[in-house]
Amino acid sequence: MAENGTAVRDIVVTGGGTGIGLAIATRFAEDGHRVTIVGRRRDVLHTAADDLRAGRGLDVTPVVCDLADPDDVEAVLSHLPDRIDVLVNSAGSRELAVGAGPHGLLARWRGDFERNVLTAVLLTESLRDRFTDGGRVVTVTSVAALRGGGSYGASKAALHAWNHSLAAQLGPQGVTCNIVAPGTVAGTEFFGSRLNDAELTRRAGRTLVGRVGRPADVAAAVLFLASPEAGFVTGEILQCNGGELLGR
Ligand SMILES: NC(=O)c1ccc[n+]([C@@H]2O[C@H](COP(=O)([O-])OP(=O)(O)OC[C@H]3O[C@@H](n4cnc5c(N)ncnc54)[C@H](OP(=O)(O)O)[C@@H]3O)[C@@H](O)[C@H]2O)c1
């Protein structure tokens, strides 16, 4: 039994070694579920899993995989649970350091598509026969998908279109598919050193609540959509941005 008396569920969180993914994995593990975290860096993943297991007995398994590489995805399938109750696609990033001209544009657009679209699509589509009745797929995109934001925003918006068809296809299996679209979230690796105090203040000023987000804010939204009680919500985009962009 999980902490709240419900059945223990098998959870897979991509990008679960850092930032938002780690916050999501932590919440599920603290609730007593079996959690697999996926990412490329072995040391980062193992440190995260060890930290959660040590002294707390949480059930967290690290699985190393480059989710934009179809060979890697194929190879990793045997290391993931046979039945999956919740898949959270949180892996993703944004490339800023690319060259000029058409070759730079190609690198940026292809890179953002690979980092954000393929990391979610290759794994989710490969796992579609493993989702349990009552299963949940939650994919993390961005306010940039709704507001505009170059190749990064476009790649996240592609996930919105994909999620609509995924929800239609998996609905009859009892599986819901939803999006959480965060605004600025501090305390992750996403911005590197670009999120200095001045930039944080500027971004906080764009919200209605006067602060930027925390990984736990996004985790709370994901946990709602992944909960057994959220079975009548599917094909939805849940913004989590402190009012930076209002819902419509
Ligand atoms: N922070 C924000 O302000 C913000 C706002 C809106 C949306 N988001 C989105 O939120 C998600 C999580 O970002 P974050 O802020 O938590 O940043 P983060 O700390 O950089 O987390 C991204 C995670 O994705 C993993 N990852 C990246 N590429 C991967 C690949 N090809 N295969 C497997 N794993 C991969 C990374 O691990 P490895 O490098 O070890 O693979 C890392 O653990 C991303 O999708 C991001 O676009 C973030």
Side-chain angles (χ1 to χ4, degrees):
M1 283 290 175
E3 283 297 308
N4 62 359
T6 59
V8 173
R9 296 189 292 166
D10 277 296
I11 317 287
V12 176
V13 182
T14 75
T18 66
I20 292 168
L22 178 57
I24 295 164
T26 302
R27 280 288 309 272
F28 278 119
E30 287 176 344
D31 285 349
H33 300 292
R34 284 183 293 271
V35 181
T36 303
I37 54 176
V38 186
R40 290 168 300 183
R41 288 167 297 168
R42 176 177 297 278
D43 54 334
V44 169
L45 278 183
H46 280 260
T47 300
D50 289 346
D51 285 350
L52 290 171
R53 289 189 294 226
R56 306 175 72 186
L58 302 184
D59 192 342
V60 180
T61 303
V63 170
V64 177
C65 178
D66 181 348
L67 293 164
D69 178 341
D71 291 328
D72 238 24
V73 172
E74 200 152 40
V76 89
L77 294 177
S78 61
H79 299 285
L80 296 176
D82 291 337
R83 306 294 293 154
I84 293 172
D85 297 297
V86 179
L87 170 63
V88 181
N89 295 306
S90 188
S93 62
R94 171 177 210 167
E95 177 62 61
L96 293 177
V98 290
H103 287 283
L105 281 170
L106 179 66
R108 182 190 296 274
W109 279 79
R110 183 177 278 167
D112 274 338
F113 196 83
E114 288 179 356
R115 280 182 288 271
N116 295 295
V117 181
L118 295 185
T119 49
V121 170
L122 294 186
L123 186 68
T124 307
E125 300 281 355
S126 301
L127 293 176
R128 55 195 300 158
D129 293 334
R130 298 195 194 183
F131 296 125
T132 55
D133 189 359
R136 305 276 182 260
V137 180
V138 184
T139 299
V140 179
T141 64
S142 170
V143 66
L146 301 164
R147 186 184 53 200
S151 52
Y152 173 73
S155 70
K156 293 297 197 184
L159 288 171
H160 293 183
W162 168 69
N163 186 67
H164 289 324
S165 48
L166 191 71
Q169 290 159 11
L170 297 185
Q173 282 175 228
V175 178
T176 67
C177 305
N178 290 291
I179 299 283
V180 172
T184 299
V185 178
T188 83
E189 296 183 350
F190 183 79
F191 287 100
S193 57
R194 300 190 300 279
L195 209 52
N196 56 29
D197 286 348
E199 183 62 12
L200 273 174
T201 302
R202 190 182 74 80
R203 286 171 179 260
R206 294 198 307 214
T207 72
L208 300 181
V209 296
R211 67 169 178 88
V212 297
R214 309 176 184 108
D217 293 319
V218 185
V222 169
L223 261 83
F224 162 65
L225 290 170
S227 68
E229 293 79 9
F232 204 51
V233 181
T234 194
E236 193 55 78
I237 299 168
L238 175 53
Q239 295 201 62
C240 182
N241 60 31
E244 177 183 344
L245 185 71
L246 298 181
R248 35 183 79 81

